[in-house]
Amino acid sequence: MSNIEHNAFVQKYDLLGCIQCGRCTGGCPVTVRTPLNVRRFVYDTVDDDRLEELSEKPDIWDCTTCNTCAIRCPKGLEPFEVLLGLRAMRAEEGNIEPTARDALESMFNNGNPWGKPAAKRTDWMEGIEGVEKVRILEPGEKADVLIHTCCTACYDPRIIPLAKNLVRVLEAAGVDYGFMGTEEKHCGSEARRLGEEGLFEYFDEENTELLGSFEVNRLVTLSPHCFNSFKNEYTSLDLPVQHYTQLVAELIEDKKLELKNEIGSSVVFHDPCYLGKKNLVFDEPRYILGQIPGVEIAEFFRNKERSLCCEGGGGKMWVESESKEQRLAETRIADAEALGAKIVAVACPFCLLTLEDALKVRGLEEEMRVADILELLGEAL
Amino acid sequence: MGDILVLAEHRQGELREVTLELLTLAGQLGGNVVALLLGSGVDDFAGKIAGYADKVLVVDDPMFANFNGMAYQAALAEIIKSEKPGLVLIGNTGQGMDVIGALAVELGLPFTTDAVAVKMEGDKPEVTRQYYGGKIDGTIDFKDADTYIVGMREAAIPAGEGGKSGEVAKIDNPVTSEITARKFLEYVEAAIGDVDITQSTLLVSVGRGIREDKNMPMMEELAGLMGADISGSRAVVDAGWLPTDRQVGISGKTVKPKLYLALGISGAFQHVTGMKGSDLVVAINKDPDAPIFQYADYGIVDDLLKVVPALIDKLKEMKG
Amino acid sequence: MNIVVCVKQVPDTSDPDTEVHIDGTGRGVDQSKFSFVINDADNYAVEEAILLKEKHGGEVTVVNIGPEAANQVIRMALAKGGDAAIRLDDEKFAFSDVLATARLLQSAVKDGGFDLIMAGCLASDDGYGAVGVTLAQLLGLPHAAMVKTVEVIDDKKLKVGRELEGGLLEMNEIEMPCVLTIQTGGNEPRYASFKGIREASKKEIKVMDLGATGLAEDQVGEAGSCAIMAQYSVPEVGELAEILEGDPGTTSARLAEILKEKGLV
Ligand SMILES: Cc1cc2nc3c(=O)[nH]c(=O)nc-3n(C[C@H](O)[C@H](O)[C@H](O)COP(=O)(O)OP(=O)(O)OC[C@H]3O[C@@H](n4cnc5c(N)ncnc54)[C@H](O)[C@@H]3O)c2cc1C
Ligand code: SF4
Ligand code: SF4
């Protein structure tokens, strides 16, 4: 067989660059509870004849796409992308978990993975403290900041307060902002992580067109997952992209946002993978927390580049690992408890869900809480 | 108005409740109530039905020992031709749905299915049905005919006490040749043990609110009494109180039972996504603000460890 | 084995938050806010058809009555393994009831020499659950409704399990050609990938208008119907849960009563 068509994986993921040092697997957080060995996959996928068989392995769904392996690889590879490539083979054949299937079908039909009607995407905008009407942009309209809300923040009652607080912050700081209304769609991040590359490309196209229809200076996202997709994965989006922590840090620095109310607590910040390890935004969240009166910042031993994944990303919302070992989110909460933290601060909807769940499992509802920085800002305003 | 012919439904030696519901409805509509019982050795049923009908026609023939939609269709067609009722009521059930459309076409009669309410406007039935999963209602306009066929939803109206005492008339089987294109073979019960909650009609679903593993037997007793299967939230699956395949939610199973009884489940979005298609949701939770109540049709705000034992007693009483 | 599978495109109103609003005519609903999907039971019928084809060979033809937008669900079925497609589309078909709908399907499949015709057992929008059985009679073929399991006995016969209330399976032997209406849950519908659907748009979808069906105008649409929906209305239902008040003895008694009334215990 000719080596040109052959070795599709080898070329796409630069597999021959791998020196099999094992740093990827060595740092992979899910190895404590699943059989995943990403180095092994990087090695095995060199053989095209084995791809079919490898794509059938349940382990490929254990990866949370936390990016630790990519950060650690001395050769600059992104080992976990190989696993996404294998997932793509499964998705293409239609041979995926029903839970993943339902989420993907909903993304296409409703523009969100949650099976919720697109027409209800802006219902959360009702009843925001001190805000008469949330600004929704018409195509062609001008604004400084265009906001992408995140599907979860539009529909999950636990996450909706994040979106509401974001509006309060924007209003309080006098930001010239606008939302996209019910036209807003899923960013495609989780579609890609579930192996649906074609669907991701569809969102890339659709959203690039929609985002381009407004006269804005930048796009700000609520979720780090959307942030990453727009910033790094969209092929022709011509807009600077920021995560909300970056915008808020700027607003505080420029003295546009005043934080008055005290939150007298020890707060530890959990770095979301897609904000921290993937996009190296470490300082802004900490800066914001430091500006909230009364906050004492504690640090996890495993923080920043070495931060422990909460297992909320990478499509893991819809595909559970079989493992009965302690979830990483629980480990994280145990670590926070040991630090004596009263608040575990996050800046991501998925982290909030997984960590809060883990807090309940450990029965610590009375002692501690998990809160998104947006919620803390809401309290401090 | 003409007679109302009601098809009796029975299965595995038991008369199904829907029969009495339809007869009760027919009685309320006025006119002569004629029940048609197709079976083999079904004198008991005929006696019971007579209490609800002005006349019971019985075809006692081995051909009807078990249900065969095509045999039923053939018999009904002949009997409707000879009896000329103004209205035919058939349960919109696994049996009825196997007959109605084909029967109506064979006779060239107007028909509709899954009625939730029927009234008579002169000689014509006025039927109410549900559309879009019960989100809106609609009324049916029939083309004029001498006979109308209506499939009536099970449990749409309660069965009354009867109070009639119709004569029981045995008639010859009008179907003279065996139905060969389709044959009944046997009934197969869903295997016990391998419960598939996505297929369950009744679910008792438990959450962290049941507190301890040792309360599981109580929940199992309740489920057993109701003939329900047990499912749960991720919290109880994580705790190891239920196996993984019983988890309802985005990373578990999507269920659509007729009844979802949520015990000590808060109603997190990730959970609700998997059960929002349930027909009837009942929640028992001690927290009046638990989000599950937003999805429930009925709620009890109380300690489930007190309500469940009481409910078990009530159900035992009801079963005698 | 040559199989027809009938698929309908329906609005996805499964979410409790999805609102259905009656339009000005009282005979339609506002469709503008809906997302459209393949009818749930039809999705299982498609999967059953493809599974049979994979095992026993033959071709799967997808038949739909719907506007051009319904190509989406047709392509999805083609992407999963369907071979050919027919879409019946004419404004004269509007307001067809079960009978007129079955007649349209009959016109599309009657000359195809098919061994097996499958349809979902129930559409989630109008819920009649009768089209397949009606179609069978029009075609003069044997039928079985609410089928959850299909097994090929030989090239003339099938063994099918009809699902009855409470999950009981009624096993039947049925001769082919025949019509089956397929219940949900008998298989696990595969996913149609985005690329697969795009690829499938290269396959031809044959469109049939009234002329092509060979039917007369008074056999289709409202004129050809025997029982049409005349007027929609909004049912009276409470938005929030009814909270049962009282001590555990009282609340549990009331709950037991409700369950009995609804035929659930
Ligand atoms: C990635 C991810 C995926 C997830 N997937 C799923 C999923 O598929 N399915 C799922 O269920 N969850 C899932 N979750 C978890 C979900 O977010 C919730 O944490 C979980 O559903 C909560 O379970 P629960 O309702 O049993 O527990 P809790 O939320 O702790 O609720 C317990 C309830 O019981 C009530 N209660 C307590 N004691 C009593 C009593 N004595 N009497 C009456 N009521 C009482 C309380 O008031 C409370 O409302 C997921 C989470 C994440 C992060
Ligand atoms: S991305 Fe994270 S979970 Fe996935 S293989 Fe790499 S280190 Fe492991
Ligand atoms: S860290 Fe990089 S070089 Fe080392 S084994 Fe993993 S992929 Fe190969």
Side-chain angles (χ1 to χ4, degrees):
Chain A
M1 194 190 284
S2 108
N3 268 347
I4 299 169
E5 294 139 42
H6 195 60
N7 292 352
F9 263 56
V10 168
Q11 287 173 14
K12 188 161 178 192
Y13 304 109
D14 192 17
L15 300 183
L16 297 180
C18 169
I19 52 171
Q20 286 290 308
C21 68
R23 278 182 59 87
C24 46
T25 296
C28 174
V30 300
T31 54
V32 299
R33 60 186 305 264
T34 74
L36 176 63
N37 180 346
V38 66
R39 176 198 58 79
R40 185 80 217 184
F41 277 99
V42 173
Y43 183 79
D44 289 343
T45 46
V46 170
D47 181 358
D48 264 15
D49 294 338
R50 291 198 58 200
L51 293 181
E52 201 56 48
E53 161 217 335
L54 292 167
S55 79
E56 297 288 334
K57 288 192 169 224
D59 321 10
I60 64 170
W61 299 96
D62 287 333
C63 167
T64 68
T65 69
C66 75
N67 209 48
T68 302
C69 52
I71 278 209
R72 286 170 58 98
C73 176
K75 304 293 285 180
L77 304 189
E78 293 184 296
F80 72 90
E81 287 284 348
V82 169
L83 304 171
L84 296 188
L86 293 169
R87 288 181 188 181
M89 293 175 62
R90 290 276 301 277
E92 189 108 340
E93 288 165 17
N95 176 16
I96 52 174
E97 289 292 318
T99 42
R101 173 199 65 202
D102 293 349
L104 291 169
E105 285 179 355
S106 175
M107 286 176 199
F108 181 72
N109 292 321
N110 304 308
N112 71 74
W114 300 115
K116 301 299 283 184
K120 297 275 164 185
R121 194 167 178 107
T122 53
D123 280 17
W124 65 268
M125 293 181 181
E126 295 298 316
I128 303 176
E129 197 187 324
V131 181
E132 194 104 312
K133 195 165 183 300
V134 177
R135 183 166 174 218
I136 294 176
L137 297 181
E138 295 293 329
E141 226 182 310
K142 282 195 179 121
D144 176 24
V145 175
L146 178 65
I147 308 286
H148 184 276
T149 326
C150 166
C151 300
T152 313
C154 292
Y155 295 107
D156 183 340
R158 175 60 192 95
I159 306 301
I160 284 174
L162 274 58
K164 291 191 167 188
N165 279 312
L166 177 58
V167 174
R168 291 180 61 215
V169 167
L170 295 168
E171 292 274 346
V175 175
D176 175 22
Y177 74 91
F179 283 80
M180 287 174 260
T182 51
E183 294 297 305
E184 183 181 272
K185 279 196 180 65
H186 176 56
C187 62
S189 174
E190 294 308 283
R192 183 161 182 271
R193 267 109 206 124
L194 286 168
E196 239 296 23
E197 300 212 357
L199 191 58
F200 176 81
E201 286 162 19
Y202 161 78
F203 283 119
D204 179 358
E205 250 170 63
E206 289 276 308
N207 284 327
T208 301
E209 193 185 320
L210 176 68
L211 295 165
S213 71
F214 307 104
E215 298 276 319
V216 295
N217 300 325
R218 51 187 162 159
L219 175 67
V220 171
T221 74
L222 188 147
S223 163
H225 297 265
C226 315
F227 168 60
N228 178 65
S229 276
F230 290 133
K231 184 164 178 282
N232 304 322
E233 294 177 338
Y234 272 45
T235 46
S236 53
L237 180 65
D238 188 21
L239 259 186
V241 187
Q242 286 183 309
H243 182 247
Y244 83 80
T245 50
Q246 297 175 304
L247 171 68
V248 172
E250 197 184 296
L251 295 173
I252 296 175
E253 238 166 12
D254 294 349
K255 307 247 178 308
K256 290 193 179 133
L257 193 66
E258 201 193 337
L259 303 173
K260 299 184 277 247
N261 300 336
E262 187 148 325
I263 299 180
S265 258
S266 160
V267 178
V268 61
F269 181 65
H270 163 81
D271 289 279
C273 298
Y274 276 81
L275 191 61
K277 286 188 288 289
K278 185 85 193 178
N279 286 293
L280 308 179
V281 177
F282 298 118
D283 300 335
E284 288 88 336
R286 290 175 170 79
Y287 170 75
I288 299 170
L289 288 170
Q291 296 298 311
I292 298 177
V295 163
E296 276 168 54
I297 301 185
E299 285 287 350
F300 282 116
F301 172 65
R302 278 179 279 188
N303 68 353
K304 301 187 179 173
E305 286 93 342
R306 297 170 53 243
S307 175
L308 184 67
C309 173
C310 78
E311 295 186 271
K316 295 299 293 172
M317 275 281 161
W318 297 278
V319 189
E320 282 272 14
S321 298
E322 299 213 340
S323 169
K324 287 281 151 206
E325 299 296 320
Q326 177 171 294
R327 291 181 194 277
L328 300 183
E330 250 189 89
T331 309
R332 201 63 165 161
I333 292 296
D335 290 351
E337 189 190 6
L339 284 172
K342 293 281 168 254
I343 298 176
V344 179
V346 298
C348 169
F350 289 172
C351 298
L352 181 57
L353 290 171
T354 49
L355 292 174
E356 195 165 87
D357 204 47
L359 187 102
K360 282 192 200 162
V361 172
R362 296 193 72 82
L364 293 170
E365 289 111 311
E366 306 290 321
E367 290 82 2
M368 283 164 77
R369 63 175 170 134
V370 182
D372 194 278
I373 290 180
L374 282 168
E375 295 178 291
L376 299 177
L377 285 169
E379 291 166 32
L381 275 182
Chain B
M1 69 184 264
D3 292 353
I4 302 179
L5 183 77
V6 172
L7 176 67
E9 181 167 330
H10 58 93
R11 194 171 95 185
Q12 291 178 303
E14 274 184 51
L15 186 67
R16 297 198 68 240
E17 178 84 2
V18 66
T19 309
L20 304 184
E21 293 164 12
L22 297 187
L23 288 165
T24 303
L25 171 67
Q28 290 164 359
L29 293 175
N32 213 28
V33 180
V34 181
L36 171 63
L37 175 59
L38 305 173
S40 173
V42 284
D43 291 348
D44 286 3
F45 301 162
K48 176 141 201 206
I49 292 168
Y52 290 79
D54 300 301
K55 186 158 96 179
V56 186
L57 300 176
V58 183
V59 178
D60 200 325
D61 191 297
M63 179 185 280
F64 301 112
N66 287 297
F67 177 83
N68 177 338
M70 296 179 64
Y72 263 59
Q73 179 187 335
L76 272 158
E78 292 309 319
I79 290 164
I80 291 170
K81 274 191 249 172
S82 60
E83 291 290 316
K84 301 192 176 55
L87 174 66
V88 180
L89 291 177
I90 300 176
N92 201 67
T93 57
Q95 293 189 4
M97 290 172 80
D98 197 34
V99 175
I100 299 170
L103 172 67
V105 170
E106 181 176 351
L107 294 172
L109 296 177
F111 71 104
T112 198
T113 51
D114 201 23
V116 294
V118 182
K119 282 191 298 197
M120 290 308 288
E121 292 285 331
D123 284 341
K124 240 188 204 190
E126 190 185 291
V127 166
T128 306
R129 304 182 69 260
Q130 295 185 333
Y131 293 80
Y132 300 99
K135 289 188 178 180
I136 55 174
D137 289 346
T139 45
I140 293 294
D141 193 1
F142 290 102
K143 246 188 196 158
D144 292 337
D146 294 330
T147 304
Y148 303 90
I149 303 179
V150 173
M152 183 76 197
R153 183 181 290 188
E154 225 176 340
I157 61 154
E161 299 294 326
K164 296 190 188 245
S165 52
E167 64 166 302
V168 176
K170 291 215 176 180
I171 56 173
D172 289 341
N173 184 1
V175 189
T176 44
S177 52
E178 276 299 316
I179 303 290
T180 51
R182 178 172 150 188
K183 288 197 199 92
F184 171 88
L185 299 173
E186 58 173 339
Y187 286 117
V188 178
E189 304 274 355
I192 301 172
D194 52 24
V195 172
D196 174 2
I197 58 168
T198 66
Q199 297 302 307
S200 302
T201 348
L202 305 176
L203 280 176
V204 167
S205 204
V206 298
R208 197 171 359 240
I210 67 161
R211 291 292 159 89
E212 290 176 83
D213 202 4
K214 73 173 177 40
N215 292 322
M216 273 311 286
M218 188 202 290
M219 309 303 145
E220 277 155 13
E221 186 183 0
L222 176 64
L225 272 171
M226 296 173 55
D229 295 321
I230 294 220
S231 58
S233 69
R234 194 175 84 166
V236 292
V237 170
D238 274 7
W241 304 342
L242 277 179
T244 314
D245 59 6
R246 299 295 180 98
Q247 178 180 323
V248 173
I250 50 159
S251 50
K253 299 272 164 72
T254 301
V255 299
K256 290 176 186 157
K258 287 214 158 68
L259 168 69
Y260 191 82
L261 177 56
L263 305 173
I265 291 179
S266 64
F269 188 68
Q270 290 70 32
H271 181 81
V272 165
T273 303
M275 53 63 75
K276 65 187 184 186
S278 309
D279 286 348
L280 189 80
V281 177
V282 178
I284 306 181
N285 194 306
K286 67 180 167 78
D287 173 8
D289 296 327
I292 190 74
F293 288 122
Q294 287 166 19
Y295 296 87
D297 301 285
Y298 296 96
I300 297 177
V301 181
D302 208 337
D303 183 350
L304 72 92
L305 298 175
K306 297 204 181 95
V307 179
V308 171
L311 185 58
I312 288 176
D313 289 347
K314 289 283 166 337
L315 291 173
K316 278 187 182 155
E317 245 170 62
M318 261 165 54
K319 303 226 155 178
Chain C
M1 192 150 75
N2 289 326
I3 307 175
V4 164
V5 55
C6 306
V7 300
K8 181 176 186 180
Q9 189 185 43
V10 294
D12 181 3
T13 55
S14 58
D15 190 89
D17 287 347
T18 303
E19 293 164 16
V20 179
H21 297 288
I22 302 166
D23 69 12
T25 68
R27 297 186 56 194
V29 299
D30 176 7
Q31 311 256 340
S32 62
K33 300 273 167 57
F34 289 151
S35 71
F36 290 86
V37 294
I38 184 170
N39 178 49
D40 200 26
D42 302 354
N43 202 18
Y44 287 86
V46 169
E47 183 65 26
E48 203 59 49
I50 309 278
L51 289 172
L52 286 169
K53 168 184 150 171
E54 284 172 350
K55 207 155 161 206
H56 304 283
E59 282 200 353
V60 173
T61 302
V62 183
V63 178
N64 164 274
I65 305 172
E68 199 174 343
N71 282 350
Q72 177 61 30
V73 301
I74 299 174
R75 289 193 182 121
M76 188 172 141
L78 292 173
K80 292 178 178 190
D83 301 283
I86 301 171
R87 182 165 58 80
L88 295 131
D89 185 7
D90 198 310
E91 50 186 40
K92 303 209 173 64
F93 301 163
F95 294 110
S96 289
D97 72 348
V98 172
L99 177 63
T101 302
R103 255 190 219 123
L104 289 172
L105 294 172
Q106 179 201 11
S107 74
V109 306
K110 65 182 191 315
D111 300 325
F114 298 107
D115 304 297
L116 177 58
I117 294 159
M118 296 203 274
C121 67
L122 183 93
S124 64
D125 53 354
D126 56 27
Y128 286 103
V131 168
V133 174
T134 307
L135 171 64
Q137 186 67 30
L138 290 172
L139 290 166
L141 296 179
H143 71 265
M146 324 291 287
V147 168
K148 204 165 165 184
T149 63
V150 184
E151 227 178 285
V152 176
I153 299 176
D154 55 38
D155 56 7
K156 298 223 167 48
K157 283 199 291 293
L158 299 173
K159 183 176 173 182
V160 299
R162 300 199 317 113
E163 189 185 41
L164 305 179
E165 290 74 16
L168 186 70
L169 281 186
E170 180 203 282
M171 306 307 295
N172 290 269
E173 201 179 278
I174 188 166
E175 284 173 7
M176 286 191 279
C178 62
V179 179
L180 304 179
T181 78
I182 302 295
Q183 174 63 290
T184 57
N187 54 49
E188 191 63 82
R190 67 196 67 190
Y191 177 68
S193 75
F194 192 83
K195 279 185 189 147
I197 293 175
R198 240 183 213 177
E199 201 59 28
S201 30
K202 292 183 194 143
K203 292 190 195 168
E204 190 208 356
I205 298 173
K206 180 179 153 200
V207 179
M208 288 172 75
D209 62 5
L210 180 63
T213 62
L215 292 167
E217 212 171 318
D218 64 358
Q219 289 180 295
V220 302
E222 196 168 337
S225 294
C226 66
I228 51 161
M229 203 299 299
Q231 178 71 49
Y232 282 133
S233 60
V234 181
E236 291 164 36
V237 282
E239 276 281 292
L240 290 173
E242 180 185 325
I243 301 293
L244 312 179
E245 311 275 353
D247 61 18
T250 319
T251 51
S252 61
R254 180 78 191 100
L255 178 55
E257 256 170 53
I258 292 169
L259 298 182
K260 180 147 196 323
E261 274 164 29
K262 309 241 174 212
L264 296 168
V265 289

